[in-house]
Amino acid sequence: MSRLAPGRPLPAADDVLADVLDLGIAAPLALDAFVNVGSVAWSDDVATACVECAHRPRLLLNPEWVREWCGTRERLALLVLHELSHISLGHTRLCPRVTAAQNIAFDALINARLLHAIRARGFDPGAFAALPQSCYAAAEAPFFILRPPPGWPDRPDWETSAGCSEPLRRVHARLYHGQKLLHDVTYTEILLALAESGVSNTGEAGAELLARLLGGHGATPEEAAALSSGRAAAAAEVFAGSIAALADAGDGQGWGGRGIAQFLQLARHRAERQLQQAREKLLRQVFAPQPGGFARYATRATPVLSVDPARDRRAAARRLLARRFGAPGSANRRAGVRERRPDRVAAAVYL
Protein backbone atom coordinates (compact mmCIF):
# COMPACT_ATOMS: atom_id res chain seq x y z
CA MET A 1 0.00 0.00 0.00
CA SER A 2 1.27 3.47 -0.85
CA ARG A 3 2.43 5.66 2.01
CA LEU A 4 0.16 8.38 0.56
CA ALA A 5 -2.97 6.25 0.48
CA PRO A 6 -6.11 7.94 1.88
CA GLY A 7 -6.64 7.29 5.58
CA ARG A 8 -2.96 6.79 6.34
CA PRO A 9 -1.01 9.42 8.33
CA LEU A 10 0.79 11.85 6.08
CA PRO A 11 4.54 11.10 6.14
CA ALA A 12 7.17 13.78 6.37
CA ALA A 13 7.76 15.48 3.03
CA ASP A 14 11.49 14.68 3.17
CA ASP A 15 10.61 10.98 3.54
CA VAL A 16 8.48 11.17 0.41
CA LEU A 17 11.39 12.68 -1.47
CA ALA A 18 13.60 9.84 -0.20
CA ASP A 19 11.24 7.42 -1.96
CA VAL A 20 11.91 9.28 -5.21
CA LEU A 21 15.67 9.09 -4.70
CA ASP A 22 15.44 5.36 -4.00
CA LEU A 23 14.37 4.85 -7.60
CA GLY A 24 17.95 5.56 -8.64
CA ILE A 25 16.87 7.82 -11.46
CA ALA A 26 16.15 11.17 -9.83
CA ALA A 27 19.68 12.31 -8.96
CA PRO A 28 21.24 11.86 -12.44
CA LEU A 29 18.42 13.84 -14.09
CA ALA A 30 18.37 16.87 -11.78
CA LEU A 31 21.38 16.56 -9.48
CA ASP A 32 22.25 20.25 -9.41
CA ALA A 33 18.67 21.18 -8.53
CA PHE A 34 18.57 18.56 -5.77
CA VAL A 35 21.71 20.10 -4.28
CA ASN A 36 20.16 23.58 -4.36
CA VAL A 37 16.86 22.62 -2.73
CA GLY A 38 17.03 23.39 0.96
CA SER A 39 14.07 21.30 2.16
CA VAL A 40 10.76 19.73 1.19
CA ALA A 41 7.50 20.76 2.84
CA TRP A 42 3.77 20.17 2.54
CA SER A 43 1.73 23.25 1.65
CA ASP A 44 -2.00 23.67 1.05
CA ASP A 45 -1.31 27.08 -0.51
CA VAL A 46 0.09 25.71 -3.80
CA ALA A 47 -2.05 23.98 -6.40
CA THR A 48 0.23 20.99 -7.10
CA ALA A 49 3.91 21.65 -6.47
CA CYS A 50 6.23 24.63 -6.52
CA VAL A 51 9.92 25.39 -6.02
CA GLU A 52 10.67 28.74 -4.41
CA CYS A 53 12.97 31.16 -6.18
CA ALA A 54 15.37 31.73 -3.30
CA HIS A 55 18.99 31.11 -2.36
CA ARG A 56 18.05 27.86 -0.58
CA PRO A 57 14.59 27.18 -1.99
CA ARG A 58 11.99 24.82 -0.61
CA LEU A 59 10.11 22.29 -2.70
CA LEU A 60 6.44 22.74 -1.75
CA LEU A 61 3.97 19.89 -2.35
CA ASN A 62 0.20 20.02 -1.99
CA PRO A 63 -0.61 16.96 0.16
CA GLU A 64 -4.17 16.36 -1.09
CA TRP A 65 -3.19 16.69 -4.73
CA VAL A 66 -0.26 14.32 -4.23
CA ARG A 67 -2.56 11.80 -2.52
CA GLU A 68 -5.03 11.92 -5.41
CA TRP A 69 -2.68 11.94 -8.41
CA CYS A 70 0.66 10.52 -7.22
CA GLY A 71 -0.24 7.13 -5.80
CA THR A 72 2.99 5.54 -7.06
CA ARG A 73 6.63 6.44 -6.61
CA GLU A 74 7.00 6.82 -10.38
CA ARG A 75 4.24 9.41 -10.62
CA LEU A 76 5.61 11.34 -7.67
CA ALA A 77 9.11 11.13 -9.14
CA LEU A 78 7.96 12.71 -12.39
CA LEU A 79 6.24 15.54 -10.51
CA VAL A 80 9.35 16.25 -8.41
CA LEU A 81 11.71 15.98 -11.39
CA HIS A 82 9.42 18.23 -13.42
CA GLU A 83 9.69 20.99 -10.81
CA LEU A 84 13.43 20.58 -10.33
CA SER A 85 13.96 20.71 -14.10
CA HIS A 86 12.58 24.25 -14.14
CA ILE A 87 15.51 25.19 -11.88
CA SER A 88 18.10 23.17 -13.81
CA LEU A 89 17.05 24.74 -17.12
CA GLY A 90 16.91 28.27 -15.67
CA HIS A 91 13.25 28.89 -16.59
CA THR A 92 12.74 31.09 -13.54
CA ARG A 93 15.45 33.45 -14.85
CA LEU A 94 14.58 33.56 -18.54
CA CYS A 95 11.63 35.92 -18.25
CA PRO A 96 10.62 38.42 -15.57
CA ARG A 97 6.96 37.40 -15.98
CA VAL A 98 6.40 34.02 -17.64
CA THR A 99 3.25 33.88 -19.79
CA ALA A 100 0.85 30.96 -20.11
CA ALA A 101 2.21 30.05 -23.56
CA GLN A 102 5.80 30.10 -22.28
CA ASN A 103 4.78 27.83 -19.40
CA ILE A 104 3.25 25.35 -21.85
CA ALA A 105 6.41 25.41 -23.98
CA PHE A 106 8.62 24.84 -20.92
CA ASP A 107 6.43 22.02 -19.61
CA ALA A 108 6.17 20.30 -22.99
CA LEU A 109 9.94 20.08 -23.40
CA ILE A 110 10.53 19.11 -19.76
CA ASN A 111 8.04 16.22 -19.84
CA ALA A 112 9.35 14.87 -23.14
CA ARG A 113 12.99 15.09 -22.10
CA LEU A 114 12.35 13.43 -18.74
CA LEU A 115 10.44 10.52 -20.28
CA HIS A 116 13.07 9.97 -22.98
CA ALA A 117 15.83 10.07 -20.36
CA ILE A 118 13.96 7.61 -18.14
CA ARG A 119 13.56 5.23 -21.07
CA ALA A 120 17.23 5.58 -22.03
CA ARG A 121 18.24 4.53 -18.50
CA GLY A 122 16.35 1.26 -18.75
CA PHE A 123 13.26 2.17 -16.73
CA ASP A 124 9.69 1.63 -17.88
CA PRO A 125 8.61 5.10 -19.06
CA GLY A 126 4.95 4.11 -19.00
CA ALA A 127 4.82 4.12 -15.19
CA PHE A 128 6.17 7.68 -15.15
CA ALA A 129 4.09 8.86 -18.13
CA ALA A 130 0.95 7.84 -16.26
CA LEU A 131 0.96 11.19 -14.41
CA PRO A 132 0.77 13.57 -17.41
CA GLN A 133 -1.45 11.08 -19.28
CA SER A 134 -3.99 11.16 -16.44
CA CYS A 135 -3.82 14.98 -16.13
CA TYR A 136 -4.07 15.85 -19.84
CA ALA A 137 -6.44 14.41 -22.45
CA ALA A 138 -4.86 12.96 -25.58
CA ALA A 139 -7.20 14.86 -27.90
CA GLU A 140 -7.46 18.21 -26.08
CA ALA A 141 -5.51 21.13 -27.48
CA PRO A 142 -3.09 22.47 -26.48
CA PHE A 143 -2.62 20.07 -23.54
CA PHE A 144 -2.01 16.94 -25.63
CA ILE A 145 1.54 18.16 -26.37
CA LEU A 146 2.31 17.93 -22.63
CA ARG A 147 2.00 14.12 -22.65
CA PRO A 148 2.99 11.23 -24.90
CA PRO A 149 0.32 9.76 -27.19
CA PRO A 150 -1.60 6.65 -26.10
CA GLY A 151 0.46 3.49 -26.49
CA TRP A 152 3.81 5.33 -26.34
CA PRO A 153 6.59 4.30 -26.70
CA ASP A 154 5.94 0.89 -28.34
CA ARG A 155 2.70 1.54 -30.27
CA PRO A 156 1.96 5.29 -30.22
CA ASP A 157 -1.46 6.22 -31.58
CA TRP A 158 -0.87 9.53 -33.36
CA GLU A 159 -4.41 9.63 -34.75
CA THR A 160 -5.84 10.39 -31.32
CA SER A 161 -5.03 14.09 -31.84
CA ALA A 162 -6.31 14.15 -35.44
CA GLY A 163 -8.85 16.83 -34.58
CA CYS A 164 -6.24 19.24 -33.22
CA SER A 165 -4.28 21.86 -35.14
CA GLU A 166 -1.53 20.67 -37.45
CA PRO A 167 1.22 22.98 -36.08
CA LEU A 168 0.76 21.49 -32.61
CA ARG A 169 0.57 17.93 -33.99
CA ARG A 170 3.87 18.41 -35.84
CA VAL A 171 5.56 19.64 -32.67
CA HIS A 172 4.03 16.77 -30.70
CA ALA A 173 5.36 14.20 -33.15
CA ARG A 174 8.87 15.62 -32.92
CA LEU A 175 8.72 15.62 -29.12
CA TYR A 176 7.91 11.91 -28.81
CA HIS A 177 9.13 10.20 -32.01
CA GLY A 178 12.69 9.94 -30.69
CA GLN A 179 15.47 11.74 -28.86
CA LYS A 180 17.09 12.97 -32.08
CA LEU A 181 13.98 14.88 -33.13
CA LEU A 182 13.39 16.00 -29.54
CA HIS A 183 16.75 17.79 -29.36
CA ASP A 184 15.81 19.84 -32.43
CA VAL A 185 12.63 21.26 -30.87
CA THR A 186 12.97 24.78 -29.48
CA TYR A 187 10.81 26.90 -27.19
CA THR A 188 10.25 29.35 -30.03
CA GLU A 189 8.84 26.66 -32.31
CA ILE A 190 6.34 25.59 -29.66
CA LEU A 191 5.35 29.23 -29.05
CA LEU A 192 4.83 29.76 -32.79
CA ALA A 193 2.74 26.60 -33.01
CA LEU A 194 0.58 27.79 -30.12
CA ALA A 195 0.12 31.19 -31.76
CA GLU A 196 -0.78 29.62 -35.14
CA SER A 197 -3.30 27.41 -33.35
CA GLY A 198 -5.07 30.44 -31.85
CA VAL A 199 -4.22 29.61 -28.23
CA SER A 200 -5.05 32.67 -26.14
CA ASN A 201 -2.16 33.67 -23.93
CA THR A 202 -3.50 36.47 -21.75
CA GLY A 203 -6.49 37.43 -19.66
CA GLU A 204 -8.93 34.88 -18.33
CA ALA A 205 -8.03 32.38 -21.04
CA GLY A 206 -4.36 32.53 -20.03
CA ALA A 207 -5.29 32.12 -16.36
CA GLU A 208 -7.37 29.03 -17.21
CA LEU A 209 -4.40 27.52 -19.05
CA LEU A 210 -2.12 28.09 -16.06
CA ALA A 211 -4.63 26.50 -13.70
CA ARG A 212 -4.46 23.26 -15.70
CA LEU A 213 -0.67 22.90 -15.68
CA LEU A 214 1.39 20.75 -13.35
CA GLY A 215 3.69 22.53 -10.93
CA GLY A 216 3.81 26.10 -9.72
CA HIS A 217 3.07 28.78 -12.30
CA GLY A 218 1.82 31.61 -10.11
CA ALA A 219 -1.80 30.48 -10.30
CA THR A 220 -2.31 31.28 -6.60
CA PRO A 221 -1.06 34.27 -4.57
CA GLU A 222 1.18 31.94 -2.57
CA GLU A 223 2.73 30.51 -5.74
CA ALA A 224 3.29 34.00 -7.13
CA ALA A 225 5.08 35.01 -3.91
CA ALA A 226 7.16 31.84 -3.95
CA LEU A 227 8.15 32.24 -7.60
CA SER A 228 9.15 35.88 -7.07
CA SER A 229 10.80 35.06 -3.73
CA GLY A 230 8.62 37.74 -2.15
CA ARG A 231 9.91 40.45 -4.51
CA ALA A 232 6.45 41.25 -5.83
CA ALA A 233 5.00 41.65 -2.34
CA ALA A 234 7.93 43.80 -1.24
CA ALA A 235 7.63 45.95 -4.36
CA ALA A 236 3.91 46.40 -3.72
CA GLU A 237 4.63 47.66 -0.19
CA VAL A 238 7.24 50.11 -1.46
CA PHE A 239 4.93 51.31 -4.21
CA ALA A 240 2.06 51.76 -1.74
CA GLY A 241 4.31 53.83 0.52
CA SER A 242 5.40 55.97 -2.42
CA ILE A 243 1.80 56.61 -3.45
CA ALA A 244 0.93 57.64 0.11
CA ALA A 245 3.88 60.01 0.16
CA LEU A 246 2.80 61.49 -3.17
CA ALA A 247 -0.71 62.04 -1.91
CA ASP A 248 0.50 63.88 1.18
CA ALA A 249 3.35 65.80 -0.44
CA GLY A 250 3.58 69.48 -1.26
CA ASP A 251 1.07 72.19 -0.47
CA GLY A 252 -1.81 69.91 0.59
CA GLN A 253 -3.69 70.22 -2.70
CA GLY A 254 -3.59 66.42 -3.11
CA TRP A 255 -3.71 64.81 -6.54
CA GLY A 256 -5.11 67.86 -8.22
CA GLY A 257 -2.50 70.37 -7.07
CA ARG A 258 1.21 70.94 -7.44
CA GLY A 259 2.14 68.73 -4.47
CA ILE A 260 3.02 65.73 -6.64
CA ALA A 261 5.14 67.78 -9.04
CA GLN A 262 7.02 69.40 -6.18
CA PHE A 263 7.57 66.01 -4.54
CA LEU A 264 8.90 64.47 -7.77
CA GLN A 265 11.18 67.46 -8.33
CA LEU A 266 12.62 67.15 -4.82
CA ALA A 267 13.07 63.41 -5.29
CA ARG A 268 14.89 63.99 -8.59
CA HIS A 269 17.25 66.57 -7.05
CA ARG A 270 17.87 64.25 -4.10
CA ALA A 271 18.78 61.41 -6.44
CA GLU A 272 21.09 63.67 -8.48
CA ARG A 273 22.82 64.82 -5.30
CA GLN A 274 23.30 61.24 -4.14
CA LEU A 275 24.86 60.35 -7.48
CA GLN A 276 27.17 63.37 -7.31
CA GLN A 277 28.29 62.44 -3.79
CA ALA A 278 28.97 58.87 -4.84
CA ARG A 279 31.00 60.08 -7.82
CA GLU A 280 33.06 62.43 -5.64
CA LYS A 281 33.73 59.65 -3.13
CA LEU A 282 34.90 57.34 -5.90
CA LEU A 283 37.26 59.93 -7.37
CA ARG A 284 38.74 60.70 -3.94
CA GLN A 285 39.39 57.03 -3.31
CA VAL A 286 41.13 56.64 -6.67
CA PHE A 287 43.20 59.81 -6.92
CA ALA A 288 43.64 61.29 -3.42
CA PRO A 289 46.21 59.95 -0.92
CA GLN A 290 44.60 57.70 1.65
CA PRO A 291 45.86 57.53 5.26
CA GLY A 292 47.49 54.17 5.76
CA GLY A 293 46.98 53.29 2.12
CA PHE A 294 49.46 51.45 -0.01
CA ALA A 295 51.56 53.69 -2.26
CA ARG A 296 53.46 52.58 -5.34
CA TYR A 297 57.06 53.83 -5.66
CA ALA A 298 59.65 53.47 -8.39
CA THR A 299 63.42 53.75 -7.99
CA ARG A 300 65.37 55.54 -10.73
CA ALA A 301 69.16 55.51 -10.99
CA THR A 302 70.99 58.44 -12.68
CA PRO A 303 74.66 57.89 -13.62
CA VAL A 304 77.02 60.72 -12.40
CA LEU A 305 80.69 61.46 -11.93
CA SER A 306 81.68 62.04 -8.31
CA VAL A 307 84.82 62.52 -6.26
CA ASP A 308 86.99 59.66 -5.04
CA PRO A 309 86.73 59.66 -1.24
CA ALA A 310 90.17 58.06 -0.93
CA ARG A 311 91.96 61.08 -2.53
CA ASP A 312 89.87 64.08 -1.40
CA ARG A 313 89.25 64.76 2.27
CA ARG A 314 86.37 67.06 1.33
CA ALA A 315 84.64 64.29 -0.62
CA ALA A 316 82.31 63.33 2.24
CA ALA A 317 81.06 66.91 2.63
CA ARG A 318 80.65 67.34 -1.13
CA ARG A 319 78.75 64.11 -1.44
CA LEU A 320 76.49 65.11 1.46
CA LEU A 321 75.75 68.47 -0.15
CA ALA A 322 75.21 66.83 -3.54
CA ARG A 323 72.66 64.47 -2.11
CA ARG A 324 71.03 67.26 -0.13
CA PHE A 325 70.45 69.45 -3.20
CA GLY A 326 70.02 66.68 -5.77
CA ALA A 327 73.21 67.58 -7.67
CA PRO A 328 76.18 65.47 -8.75
CA GLY A 329 79.38 65.81 -6.80
CA SER A 330 82.82 66.74 -8.11
CA ALA A 331 83.79 64.50 -10.96
CA ASN A 332 86.69 62.14 -10.90
CA ARG A 333 84.96 58.70 -10.76
CA ARG A 334 81.82 57.09 -12.09
CA ALA A 335 78.93 56.62 -9.69
CA GLY A 336 75.15 56.88 -9.63
CA VAL A 337 72.34 58.77 -7.90
CA ARG A 338 69.30 56.68 -6.91
CA GLU A 339 65.94 58.42 -6.52
CA ARG A 340 62.74 56.95 -5.03
CA ARG A 341 59.64 58.64 -6.38
CA PRO A 342 55.91 57.84 -6.39
CA ASP A 343 55.01 55.65 -9.32
CA ARG A 344 52.43 57.29 -11.55
CA VAL A 345 50.07 54.79 -13.22
CA ALA A 346 46.94 55.21 -15.28
CA ALA A 347 43.60 54.67 -13.54
CA ALA A 348 40.40 53.73 -15.38
CA VAL A 349 37.18 54.86 -13.69
CA TYR A 350 33.83 53.40 -14.83
CA LEU A 351 30.65 55.26 -13.95
Side-chain angles (χ1 to χ4, degrees):
M1 180 184 294
S2 170
R3 300 173 65 178
L4 297 171
R8 298 192 66 181
L10 196 67
D14 285 320
D15 294 339
V16 174
L17 187 61
D19 289 343
V20 175
L21 294 173
D22 286 342
L23 289 172
I25 191 172
L29 293 179
L31 180 59
D32 56 337
F34 268 111
V35 172
N36 288 327
V37 169
S39 62
V40 186
W42 298 115
S43 175
D44 295 322
D45 296 327
V46 298
T48 58
C50 182
V51 177
E52 295 175 322
C53 294
H55 177 61
R56 293 293 291 171
R58 294 181 303 164
L59 172 61
L60 305 177
L61 301 173
N62 183 294
E64 294 306 317
W65 194 93
V66 170
R67 280 187 190 273
E68 180 178 357
W69 296 93
C70 302
T72 65
R73 290 193 302 170
E74 290 80 8
R75 286 178 172 231
L76 180 60
L78 191 74
L79 174 66
V80 171
L81 291 174
H82 177 100
E83 285 305 297
L84 295 177
S85 295
H86 281 293
I87 299 178
S88 298
L89 297 175
H91 291 163
T92 55
R93 300 185 298 272
L94 285 177
C95 312
R97 290 291 183 272
V98 183
T99 65
Q102 289 168 337
N103 274 311
I104 292 176
F106 294 158
D107 285 7
L109 275 176
I110 283 177
N111 291 345
R113 287 175 177 174
L114 285 176
L115 293 174
H116 279 296
I118 288 170
R119 184 186 181 191
R121 284 171 171 79
F123 289 80
D124 176 19
F128 295 85
L131 178 63
Q133 285 176 335
S134 61
C135 293
Y136 306 121
E140 183 183 8
F143 300 106
F144 74 95
I145 69 171
L146 302 176
R147 48 157 290 169
W152 183 88
D154 299 325
R155 298 182 183 85
D157 183 7
W158 300 104
E159 294 304 316
T160 308
S161 60
C164 301
S165 68
E166 283 303 315
L168 288 177
R169 295 191 69 209
R170 288 193 296 268
V171 167
H172 189 223
R174 291 171 60 193
L175 286 173
Y176 287 100
H177 255 310
Q179 287 209 26
K180 185 177 185 302
L181 289 177
L182 166 68
H183 293 323
D184 293 334
V185 180
T186 65
Y187 299 132
T188 301
E189 288 177 318
I190 301 177
L191 292 173
L192 290 175
L194 290 169
E196 292 177 18
S197 304
V199 176
S200 180
N201 188 30
T202 58
E204 294 183 1
E208 291 178 1
L209 290 177
L210 289 177
R212 293 281 306 276
L213 299 178
L214 289 177
H217 301 286
T220 66
E222 291 76 13
E223 285 184 9
L227 293 177
S228 65
S229 189
R231 291 190 299 270
E237 292 180 3
V238 173
F239 184 72
S242 300
I243 293 299
L246 285 174
D248 297 335
D251 52 11
Q253 299 182 41
W255 293 99
R258 297 181 54 197
I260 297 175
Q262 293 175 353
F263 178 83
L264 293 177
Q265 186 177 15
L266 289 174
R268 179 172 59 83
H269 289 322
R270 189 181 303 115
E272 292 176 352
R273 180 55 185 161
Q274 290 175 348
L275 176 61
Q276 181 181 355
Q277 291 174 345
R279 185 166 57 239
E280 292 173 354
K281 180 180 178 181
L282 173 63
L283 294 177
R284 284 196 301 269
Q285 289 178 341
V286 173
F287 295 110
Q290 301 295 322
F294 176 76
R296 294 170 58 98
Y297 288 94
T299 302
R300 186 177 64 180
T302 304
V304 297
L305 294 176
S306 66
V307 297
D308 185 354
R311 297 185 179 182
D312 190 346
R313 62 183 182 181
R314 296 171 296 177
R318 291 178 177 177
R319 291 178 60 190
L320 179 62
L321 290 173
R323 284 198 301 268
R324 176 65 179 81
F325 293 102
S330 300
N332 66 357
R333 77 181 183 96
R334 296 186 179 277
V337 175
R338 299 177 65 85
E339 297 177 288
R340 185 170 177 267
R341 295 182 176 180
D343 187 16
R344 297 184 180 274
V345 295
V349 180
Y350 297 90
L351 299 179

